Amino acid sequence: MDESAYLKSDVKTYGAAFLKEGNSVRVPNNEYFVMGDNRMYSSDSREWGFITRNEVVGGSMFVYWPITQIRLIKILIKLVYQGD
């Protein structure tokens, strides 16, 4: 995957500083566990832990995979556009 359009070649992030492979955690009330993409150096909650609602910058609006289940995500659209 060519990531050069949005990441400089010197940007590296490493997962599992917070949550190691094979371990489990319970997400506390009013916090979120954010999953990144499948890049080799993706950064998400496995690296830096939980986030609160006021730390959410964007949101998902639809599911496009698998193709047979394309749909809008109505609950998150409501959160993104109406706020808390």
Side-chain angles (χ1 to χ4, degrees):
M1 171 188 256
D2 180 11
E3 301 168 336
S4 62
Y6 59 95
L7 288 177
K8 295 181 181 178
S9 62
D10 61 339
V11 173
K12 302 281 189 250
T13 58
Y14 302 92
F18 171 76
L19 180 60
K20 305 288 186 220
E21 183 74 28
N23 292 350
S24 63
V25 295
R26 183 176 300 267
V27 179
N29 288 338
N30 302 314
E31 295 191 20
Y32 298 86
F33 190 90
V34 181
M35 296 298 296
D37 56 27
N38 285 329
R39 289 183 293 117
M40 182 182 296
Y41 302 110
S42 182
S43 179
D44 58 29
S45 286
R46 293 171 293 182
E47 179 179 0
W48 29 263
F50 308 116
I51 64 170
T52 61
R53 172 65 181 104
N54 64 347
E55 294 172 301
V56 175
V57 177
S60 298
M61 291 192 246
F62 62 92
V63 174
Y64 64 89
W65 195 260
I67 196 94
T68 58
Q69 296 181 25
I70 291 176
R71 66 190 181 278
L72 292 176
I73 302 173
K74 295 176 185 175
I75 294 171
L76 291 181
I77 290 174
K78 186 175 181 178
L79 285 174
V80 171
Y81 291 109
Q82 293 182 356
D84 289 318

Coordinates of all heavy atoms in Angstrom, one line a residue:
M1 N 0.8 -1.2 0.0 CA 0.0 0.0 0.0 C 0.9 1.2 0.0 O 1.8 1.4 0.8 CB -0.9 0.0 1.2 CG -1.7 1.3 1.4 SD -2.5 1.3 3.0 CE -4.1 1.0 2.4
D2 N 0.6 2.2 -0.9 CA 1.4 3.4 -1.0 C 0.7 4.4 0.0 O -0.3 5.0 -0.4 CB 1.4 3.9 -2.4 CG 2.2 5.2 -2.5 OD1 2.9 5.6 -1.5 OD2 2.2 5.8 -3.6
E3 N 1.3 4.7 1.1 CA 0.8 5.7 2.1 C 1.4 7.0 1.9 O 1.1 7.9 2.7 CB 1.0 5.1 3.5 CG 0.4 3.8 3.7 CD 0.9 3.1 5.0 OE1 2.0 3.4 5.4 OE2 0.1 2.2 5.5
S4 N 2.3 7.3 1.0 CA 3.0 8.5 0.8 C 2.1 9.7 0.6 O 2.5 10.8 1.0 CB 4.0 8.4 -0.3 OG 3.4 8.2 -1.5
A5 N 0.9 9.5 0.2 CA 0.0 10.7 -0.1 C -0.4 11.3 1.3 O -0.7 12.5 1.3 CB -1.2 10.3 -0.9
Y6 N -0.4 10.5 2.4 CA -0.9 11.1 3.6 C 0.0 10.9 4.8 O -0.2 11.4 5.9 CB -2.3 10.6 3.9 CG -2.5 9.1 4.1 CD1 -2.4 8.5 5.3 CD2 -2.7 8.3 2.9 CE1 -2.5 7.1 5.4 CE2 -2.8 7.0 3.0 CZ -2.7 6.3 4.3 OH -2.9 5.0 4.4
L7 N 1.1 10.1 4.6 CA 2.1 9.9 5.7 C 3.5 10.1 5.1 O 3.8 9.5 4.1 CB 2.0 8.4 6.3 CG 0.8 8.1 7.1 CD1 0.8 6.6 7.5 CD2 0.7 9.0 8.3
K8 N 4.3 10.8 5.9 CA 5.7 11.0 5.5 C 6.4 9.6 5.8 O 6.0 8.9 6.6 CB 6.3 12.1 6.3 CG 5.8 13.4 6.0 CD 6.5 14.5 6.8 CE 5.9 15.9 6.5 NZ 6.5 16.9 7.3
S9 N 7.4 9.4 5.0 CA 8.1 8.1 5.2 C 8.7 7.8 6.5 O 9.0 6.7 6.9 CB 9.2 7.9 4.1 OG 10.1 8.9 4.2
D10 N 9.0 8.9 7.3 CA 9.6 8.8 8.6 C 8.6 8.6 9.7 O 9.0 8.4 10.9 CB 10.5 10.0 8.9 CG 9.8 11.3 9.0 OD1 8.7 11.4 8.4 OD2 10.3 12.2 9.6
V11 N 7.3 8.6 9.4 CA 6.2 8.4 10.5 C 6.1 6.9 10.7 O 5.8 6.1 9.8 CB 4.9 9.0 10.0 CG1 3.8 8.7 11.0 CG2 5.0 10.5 9.8
K12 N 6.3 6.5 12.0 CA 6.1 5.1 12.4 C 5.4 5.1 13.7 O 5.8 5.9 14.6 CB 7.5 4.4 12.6 CG 8.4 4.4 11.3 CD 7.9 3.4 10.4 CE 8.9 3.2 9.2 NZ 8.4 3.7 8.0
T13 N 4.4 4.3 13.8 CA 3.7 4.1 15.1 C 3.7 2.6 15.4 O 3.6 1.8 14.5 CB 2.3 4.7 15.1 OG1 1.6 4.0 14.0 CG2 2.3 6.2 14.9
Y14 N 3.7 2.3 16.6 CA 3.7 0.8 17.0 C 2.6 0.5 18.0 O 2.5 1.2 19.0 CB 5.1 0.5 17.6 CG 6.2 0.8 16.6 CD1 6.8 2.1 16.7 CD2 6.6 -0.1 15.7 CE1 7.8 2.4 15.8 CE2 7.6 0.2 14.8 CZ 8.2 1.4 14.8 OH 9.2 1.7 13.9
G15 N 1.8 -0.5 17.7 CA 0.7 -0.9 18.5 C 1.2 -1.7 19.7 O 2.3 -2.1 19.8
A16 N 0.2 -2.0 20.6 CA 0.4 -2.9 21.7 C 1.2 -2.3 22.9 O 1.6 -3.1 23.8 CB 1.0 -4.2 21.3
A17 N 1.4 -1.0 23.0 CA 2.0 -0.5 24.2 C 1.0 -0.5 25.4 O 1.4 -0.7 26.5 CB 2.5 0.9 24.0
F18 N -0.3 -0.4 25.1 CA -1.4 -0.4 26.1 C -2.0 -1.8 26.2 O -2.1 -2.3 27.3 CB -2.5 0.6 25.7 CG -3.7 0.5 26.6 CD1 -3.7 1.0 27.8 CD2 -4.8 -0.1 26.1 CE1 -4.8 0.9 28.6 CE2 -6.0 -0.2 26.9 CZ -6.0 0.3 28.2
L19 N -2.3 -2.4 25.1 CA -3.0 -3.7 25.1 C -2.1 -4.7 24.3 O -2.0 -4.6 23.1 CB -4.4 -3.6 24.5 CG -5.2 -4.9 24.4 CD1 -5.4 -5.5 25.8 CD2 -6.5 -4.6 23.8
K20 N -1.6 -5.7 25.0 CA -0.7 -6.7 24.4 C -1.6 -7.8 23.7 O -2.7 -8.0 24.1 CB 0.2 -7.4 25.4 CG 1.0 -6.4 26.2 CD 2.1 -5.8 25.3 CE 3.1 -5.0 26.2 NZ 3.5 -3.8 25.6
E21 N -1.1 -8.4 22.7 CA -1.7 -9.5 21.9 C -2.2 -10.6 22.9 O -1.4 -11.0 23.8 CB -0.8 -10.1 20.9 CG -1.4 -11.1 20.0 CD -2.3 -10.6 19.0 OE1 -2.2 -9.4 18.6 OE2 -3.2 -11.3 18.6
G22 N -3.4 -11.0 22.8 CA -3.9 -12.1 23.7 C -4.6 -11.6 25.0 O -5.2 -12.4 25.6
N23 N -4.3 -10.4 25.4 CA -5.0 -9.8 26.6 C -6.3 -9.2 26.3 O -6.6 -8.9 25.2 CB -4.1 -8.7 27.2 CG -2.8 -9.3 27.8 OD1 -2.6 -10.5 27.9 ND2 -1.9 -8.4 28.1
S24 N -7.1 -9.1 27.3 CA -8.4 -8.5 27.1 C -8.6 -7.4 28.2 O -8.0 -7.4 29.2 CB -9.6 -9.5 27.2 OG -9.6 -10.1 28.5
V25 N -9.5 -6.4 27.8 CA -9.8 -5.3 28.7 C -11.3 -5.0 28.6 O -11.9 -5.3 27.6 CB -9.0 -4.0 28.4 CG1 -7.5 -4.2 28.6 CG2 -9.3 -3.5 27.0
R26 N -11.8 -4.4 29.6 CA -13.2 -3.9 29.6 C -13.2 -2.4 29.4 O -12.5 -1.7 30.2 CB -13.9 -4.3 30.9 CG -15.4 -3.9 30.9 CD -16.1 -4.3 32.1 NE -16.1 -5.8 32.3 CZ -17.0 -6.6 31.9 NH1 -18.0 -6.2 31.2 NH2 -16.9 -7.9 32.1
V27 N -13.9 -1.9 28.4 CA -13.9 -0.5 28.1 C -14.8 0.2 29.2 O -15.9 -0.2 29.4 CB -14.5 -0.2 26.7 CG1 -14.5 1.3 26.5 CG2 -13.7 -0.9 25.7
P28 N -14.2 1.2 29.9 CA -15.0 1.8 31.0 C -16.1 2.6 30.4 O -16.1 3.0 29.2 CB -13.9 2.8 31.6 CG -12.6 2.3 31.2 CD -12.8 1.6 29.8
N29 N -17.2 2.8 31.2 CA -18.3 3.7 30.8 C -17.8 5.0 30.4 O -16.9 5.6 30.9 CB -19.3 3.8 32.0 CG -20.0 2.6 32.3 OD1 -20.2 1.7 31.5 ND2 -20.5 2.5 33.5
N30 N -18.5 5.5 29.3 CA -18.2 6.9 28.8 C -16.8 7.0 28.2 O -16.3 8.1 28.0 CB -18.4 8.0 29.8 CG -19.8 7.9 30.4 OD1 -20.8 7.9 29.6 ND2 -20.0 8.0 31.7
E31 N -16.2 5.9 27.8 CA -14.9 5.9 27.1 C -15.1 5.0 25.8 O -16.0 4.2 25.7 CB -13.8 5.4 28.0 CG -13.6 6.4 29.1 CD -12.3 6.1 29.9 OE1 -11.4 5.5 29.4 OE2 -12.2 6.6 31.0
Y32 N -14.1 5.1 24.9 CA -14.1 4.4 23.7 C -12.8 3.7 23.4 O -11.8 4.2 23.8 CB -14.4 5.4 22.5 CG -15.8 6.1 22.6 CD1 -15.9 7.2 23.4 CD2 -16.9 5.6 22.0 CE1 -17.1 7.9 23.5 CE2 -18.1 6.2 22.1 CZ -18.2 7.3 22.9 OH -19.4 8.0 23.0
F33 N -12.9 2.6 22.7 CA -11.7 1.9 22.3 C -11.7 2.0 20.8 O -12.6 1.5 20.1 CB -11.8 0.4 22.7 CG -10.5 -0.4 22.4 CD1 -9.6 -0.5 23.4 CD2 -10.3 -1.0 21.2 CE1 -8.4 -1.2 23.2 CE2 -9.1 -1.7 21.0 CZ -8.2 -1.8 22.0
V34 N -10.7 2.7 20.2 CA -10.7 3.1 18.8 C -9.7 2.1 18.1 O -8.6 1.9 18.5 CB -10.2 4.5 18.7 CG1 -10.1 4.9 17.2 CG2 -11.0 5.5 19.5
M35 N -10.3 1.5 17.0 CA -9.5 0.6 16.1 C -9.0 1.4 14.9 O -9.7 2.1 14.3 CB -10.3 -0.6 15.7 CG -10.7 -1.4 16.9 SD -9.4 -2.2 17.8 CE -8.6 -3.2 16.6
G36 N -7.7 1.2 14.6 CA -7.1 1.8 13.4 C -7.3 0.9 12.2 O -8.1 -0.1 12.2
D37 N -6.5 1.2 11.2 CA -6.6 0.4 9.9 C -5.6 -0.8 10.0 O -5.0 -1.0 11.1 CB -6.4 1.3 8.7 CG -5.1 2.0 8.8 OD1 -4.1 1.5 9.4 OD2 -5.0 3.1 8.2
N38 N -5.4 -1.4 8.9 CA -4.5 -2.6 8.9 C -3.1 -2.3 8.4 O -2.3 -3.2 8.0 CB -5.1 -3.7 8.0 CG -6.2 -4.4 8.7 OD1 -6.2 -4.5 10.0 ND2 -7.2 -4.9 8.0
R39 N -2.7 -1.0 8.4 CA -1.3 -0.7 8.1 C -0.3 -1.3 9.0 O -0.6 -1.5 10.2 CB -1.1 0.9 8.1 CG -1.8 1.6 7.0 CD -1.5 3.1 7.0 NE -2.1 3.7 8.2 CZ -1.3 4.3 9.1 NH1 0.0 4.3 9.1 NH2 -1.9 4.8 10.2
M40 N 0.9 -1.6 8.6 CA 1.9 -2.2 9.4 C 2.1 -1.3 10.7 O 2.4 -1.9 11.7 CB 3.2 -2.4 8.6 CG 4.3 -3.1 9.4 SD 5.8 -3.3 8.5 CE 5.3 -4.3 7.2
Y41 N 2.1 0.0 10.5 CA 2.4 0.8 11.7 C 1.2 1.6 12.1 O 1.3 2.8 12.5 CB 3.6 1.8 11.3 CG 4.8 1.0 10.9 CD1 5.3 1.0 9.6 CD2 5.5 0.3 11.9 CE1 6.4 0.4 9.3 CE2 6.7 -0.4 11.5 CZ 7.1 -0.3 10.2 OH 8.2 -1.0 9.9
S42 N 0.0 1.0 12.1 CA -1.2 1.7 12.5 C -1.2 2.1 14.0 O -0.6 1.4 14.8 CB -2.4 0.8 12.2 OG -3.6 1.5 12.5
S43 N -1.8 3.2 14.3 CA -1.9 3.6 15.7 C -3.3 3.7 16.2 O -4.2 4.3 15.5 CB -1.2 5.0 15.8 OG -1.3 5.5 17.2
D44 N -3.7 3.0 17.3 CA -5.0 3.1 17.8 C -5.0 2.8 19.3 O -4.0 2.9 19.9 CB -5.9 2.1 17.0 CG -5.4 0.6 17.1 OD1 -4.7 0.2 18.1 OD2 -5.7 -0.1 16.1
S45 N -6.2 2.5 19.9 CA -6.3 2.3 21.3 C -5.4 1.1 21.8 O -5.1 1.1 23.0 CB -7.7 2.1 21.7 OG -8.4 3.3 21.7
R46 N -5.0 0.2 21.0 CA -4.1 -0.8 21.4 C -2.7 -0.2 21.8 O -2.0 -0.8 22.7 CB -3.9 -1.9 20.4 CG -5.1 -2.7 20.1 CD -5.0 -3.6 18.9 NE -4.9 -2.7 17.7 CZ -4.8 -3.2 16.5 NH1 -4.7 -4.5 16.2 NH2 -4.7 -2.3 15.4
E47 N -2.4 0.9 21.3 CA -1.2 1.6 21.6 C -1.4 2.6 22.7 O -0.6 2.7 23.7 CB -0.6 2.3 20.4 CG 0.7 3.1 20.6 CD 1.2 3.8 19.4 OE1 0.6 3.7 18.3 OE2 2.3 4.4 19.6
W48 N -2.4 3.5 22.6 CA -2.5 4.6 23.5 C -3.7 4.6 24.5 O -4.0 5.5 25.2 CB -2.5 6.0 22.8 CG -3.0 6.0 21.4 CD1 -2.2 5.9 20.3 CD2 -4.3 6.1 21.0 NE1 -3.0 5.9 19.2 CE2 -4.3 6.1 19.6 CE3 -5.5 6.2 21.6 CZ2 -5.4 6.1 18.8 CZ3 -6.7 6.3 20.9 CH2 -6.6 6.2 19.5
G49 N -4.5 3.5 24.5 CA -5.6 3.3 25.4 C -6.9 3.9 25.0 O -7.1 4.2 23.9
F50 N -7.8 4.1 26.0 CA -9.1 4.6 25.8 C -9.2 6.1 25.5 O -8.2 6.8 25.9 CB -10.0 4.3 27.0 CG -10.0 2.8 27.4 CD1 -9.5 2.5 28.7 CD2 -10.4 1.8 26.6 CE1 -9.4 1.2 29.1 CE2 -10.4 0.5 27.0 CZ -9.9 0.2 28.2
I51 N -10.2 6.5 24.9 CA -10.4 8.0 24.7 C -11.8 8.3 25.2 O -12.7 7.5 25.4 CB -10.3 8.4 23.3 CG1 -11.3 7.8 22.4 CG2 -8.9 8.2 22.8 CD1 -11.4 8.4 21.0
T52 N -12.1 9.6 25.5 CA -13.4 10.1 26.0 C -14.1 10.7 24.8 O -13.5 11.0 23.7 CB -13.2 11.1 27.1 OG1 -12.5 12.2 26.6 CG2 -12.5 10.6 28.3
R53 N -15.4 10.9 24.9 CA -16.2 11.5 23.8 C -15.7 12.8 23.3 O -15.7 13.1 22.1 CB -17.7 11.6 24.3 CG -18.6 12.3 23.3 CD -18.7 11.5 22.0 NE -19.6 12.2 21.1 CZ -19.1 12.9 20.0 NH1 -17.8 13.0 19.8 NH2 -20.0 13.5 19.2
N54 N -15.2 13.7 24.2 CA -14.7 15.0 23.8 C -13.4 14.9 23.0 O -12.9 15.9 22.5 CB -14.6 16.0 24.9 CG -13.6 15.5 26.0 OD1 -13.2 14.4 26.0 ND2 -13.3 16.4 26.9
E55 N -12.8 13.7 23.0 CA -11.6 13.5 22.2 C -11.8 13.0 20.8 O -10.9 12.9 20.0 CB -10.6 12.6 22.9 CG -10.1 13.1 24.3 CD -9.3 12.1 25.1 OE1 -9.9 11.1 25.4 OE2 -8.1 12.4 25.3
V56 N -13.1 12.6 20.5 CA -13.5 12.1 19.2 C -13.5 13.3 18.2 O -14.3 14.3 18.5 CB -14.8 11.4 19.2 CG1 -15.3 11.0 17.8 CG2 -14.7 10.2 20.2
V57 N -12.8 13.3 17.2 CA -12.8 14.3 16.2 C -13.7 14.1 15.0 O -14.3 15.0 14.5 CB -11.3 14.5 15.6 CG1 -11.3 15.6 14.6 CG2 -10.4 14.9 16.8
G58 N -13.9 12.8 14.7 CA -14.7 12.5 13.5 C -15.6 11.3 13.9 O -15.7 10.9 15.0
G59 N -16.1 10.7 12.9 CA -16.9 9.5 13.1 C -17.2 8.7 11.8 O -16.9 9.2 10.7
S60 N -17.7 7.5 11.9 CA -18.1 6.7 10.8 C -19.5 7.1 10.4 O -20.4 7.3 11.2 CB -18.0 5.3 11.1 OG -16.7 4.9 11.4
M61 N -19.7 7.1 9.1 CA -21.1 7.3 8.6 C -21.7 6.2 7.8 O -22.9 6.1 7.7 CB -21.1 8.6 7.7 CG -20.8 9.8 8.5 SD -21.2 11.3 7.5 CE -19.5 11.9 7.4
F62 N -20.9 5.2 7.4 CA -21.4 4.1 6.6 C -20.4 2.9 6.7 O -19.2 3.1 6.9 CB -21.8 4.5 5.2 CG -20.6 4.9 4.4 CD1 -19.9 4.0 3.6 CD2 -20.2 6.2 4.3 CE1 -18.8 4.4 2.8 CE2 -19.2 6.6 3.5 CZ -18.5 5.7 2.8
V63 N -21.0 1.8 6.4 CA -20.2 0.5 6.3 C -20.2 0.2 4.8 O -21.2 0.2 4.2 CB -20.8 -0.6 7.1 CG1 -20.1 -1.9 6.9 CG2 -20.9 -0.3 8.6
Y64 N -19.0 -0.1 4.3 CA -18.9 -0.4 2.9 C -18.4 -1.8 2.6 O -18.3 -2.3 1.5 CB -18.1 0.6 2.1 CG -16.7 0.7 2.5 CD1 -15.7 -0.1 1.9 CD2 -16.3 1.6 3.4 CE1 -14.4 0.0 2.2 CE2 -15.0 1.7 3.8 CZ -14.0 0.9 3.2 OH -12.7 1.0 3.5
W65 N -18.0 -2.5 3.7 CA -17.5 -3.9 3.5 C -18.0 -4.8 4.6 O -18.0 -4.3 5.8 CB -16.0 -3.9 3.5 CG -15.4 -5.2 3.0 CD1 -15.0 -6.3 3.8 CD2 -15.3 -5.6 1.7 NE1 -14.6 -7.3 3.0 CE2 -14.8 -6.9 1.7 CE3 -15.7 -5.0 0.5 CZ2 -14.6 -7.6 0.5 CZ3 -15.4 -5.7 -0.7 CH2 -14.9 -7.0 -0.7
P66 N -18.5 -5.9 4.3 CA -18.6 -6.5 3.0 C -19.6 -5.9 2.1 O -20.6 -5.3 2.6 CB -19.0 -8.0 3.3 CG -19.6 -8.0 4.6 CD -19.0 -6.8 5.4
I67 N -19.4 -5.9 0.9 CA -20.2 -5.2 -0.1 C -21.7 -5.6 0.0 O -22.6 -4.7 -0.2 CB -19.7 -5.5 -1.5 CG1 -20.3 -4.4 -2.5 CG2 -20.0 -6.9 -2.0 CD1 -19.4 -3.3 -2.7
T68 N -22.0 -6.8 0.5 CA -23.4 -7.2 0.6 C -24.1 -6.5 1.8 O -25.3 -6.7 2.0 CB -23.5 -8.7 0.8 OG1 -22.7 -9.1 1.9 CG2 -23.0 -9.4 -0.5
Q69 N -23.3 -5.8 2.7 CA -23.9 -5.2 3.9 C -23.7 -3.7 3.9 O -23.6 -3.1 5.0 CB -23.3 -5.9 5.1 CG -23.7 -7.3 5.2 CD -23.2 -8.0 6.5 OE1 -22.9 -7.3 7.5 NE2 -23.0 -9.3 6.4
I70 N -23.6 -3.1 2.8 CA -23.4 -1.6 2.7 C -24.6 -1.0 3.4 O -25.7 -1.3 3.2 CB -23.3 -1.1 1.3 CG1 -22.0 -1.6 0.6 CG2 -23.4 0.4 1.2 CD1 -21.8 -1.2 -0.8
R71 N -24.3 0.0 4.3 CA -25.4 0.7 5.1 C -24.9 1.9 5.8 O -23.7 2.1 6.0 CB -26.0 -0.3 6.1 CG -25.0 -0.6 7.2 CD -25.6 -1.8 8.1 NE -24.7 -2.1 9.2 CZ -23.7 -2.9 9.1 NH1 -23.3 -3.5 7.9 NH2 -22.9 -3.2 10.1
L72 N -25.8 2.8 6.1 CA -25.5 4.0 6.9 C -25.4 3.6 8.4 O -26.1 2.6 8.8 CB -26.6 5.0 6.8 CG -26.7 5.7 5.4 CD1 -27.9 6.7 5.4 CD2 -25.4 6.5 5.1
I73 N -24.6 4.3 9.1 CA -24.5 4.0 10.6 C -25.3 5.2 11.2 O -24.7 6.3 11.5 CB -23.1 4.0 11.0 CG1 -22.3 2.9 10.3 CG2 -23.0 3.8 12.5 CD1 -20.8 2.8 10.5
K74 N -26.5 5.0 11.5 CA -27.4 6.1 11.9 C -27.1 6.6 13.3 O -27.1 7.8 13.6 CB -28.9 5.6 11.9 CG -29.4 5.3 10.5 CD -30.8 4.8 10.5 CE -31.2 4.4 9.1 NZ -32.5 3.7 9.1
I75 N -26.7 5.7 14.2 CA -26.4 6.2 15.6 C -25.2 7.1 15.6 O -25.2 8.1 16.2 CB -26.1 4.9 16.5 CG1 -27.4 4.2 16.7 CG2 -25.6 5.4 17.9 CD1 -27.2 2.8 17.4
L76 N -24.1 6.7 14.9 CA -22.9 7.6 14.8 C -23.1 8.9 14.1 O -22.6 9.9 14.4 CB -21.7 6.8 14.3 CG -21.2 5.7 15.2 CD1 -20.0 5.0 14.5 CD2 -20.8 6.2 16.5
I77 N -23.9 8.8 13.0 CA -24.3 10.1 12.3 C -24.9 11.1 13.3 O -24.6 12.2 13.4 CB -25.2 9.8 11.1 CG1 -24.4 9.1 10.0 CG2 -25.8 11.1 10.6 CD1 -25.2 8.6 8.9
K78 N -25.8 10.5 14.1 CA -26.5 11.4 15.1 C -25.5 12.0 16.1 O -25.5 13.2 16.4 CB -27.5 10.6 15.9 CG -28.4 11.3 16.8 CD -29.4 10.4 17.4 CE -30.3 11.2 18.4 NZ -31.4 10.4 18.9
L79 N -24.5 11.2 16.6 CA -23.5 11.7 17.5 C -22.6 12.8 16.8 O -22.4 13.8 17.4 CB -22.6 10.6 18.0 CG -23.1 9.6 19.0 CD1 -22.2 8.5 19.2 CD2 -23.4 10.3 20.3
V80 N -22.2 12.5 15.6 CA -21.3 13.5 14.9 C -22.0 14.8 14.6 O -21.4 15.9 14.9 CB -20.8 12.8 13.6 CG1 -20.1 13.9 12.8 CG2 -19.9 11.7 13.9
Y81 N -23.2 14.8 14.2 CA -23.9 16.0 13.8 C -24.7 16.7 14.9 O -24.9 17.9 14.8 CB -24.8 15.7 12.5 CG -24.0 15.4 11.3 CD1 -23.9 14.1 10.8 CD2 -23.2 16.4 10.7 CE1 -23.1 13.8 9.7 CE2 -22.4 16.1 9.7 CZ -22.4 14.8 9.2 OH -21.6 14.6 8.1
Q82 N -25.1 16.0 15.9 CA -25.9 16.6 16.9 C -25.1 16.9 18.2 O -25.5 17.6 19.1 CB -27.1 15.8 17.3 CG -28.1 15.8 16.1 CD -29.3 15.0 16.5 OE1 -29.5 14.4 17.6 NE2 -30.3 15.0 15.6
G83 N -23.9 16.3 18.3 CA -23.1 16.5 19.5 C -23.6 15.8 20.7 O -24.6 15.0 20.6
D84 N -23.1 16.1 21.9 CA -23.6 15.4 23.1 C -24.9 16.0 23.6 O -25.1 17.1 23.5 CB -22.5 15.6 24.2 CG -21.3 14.7 23.9 OD1 -21.5 13.5 23.5 OD2 -20.2 15.1 24.2

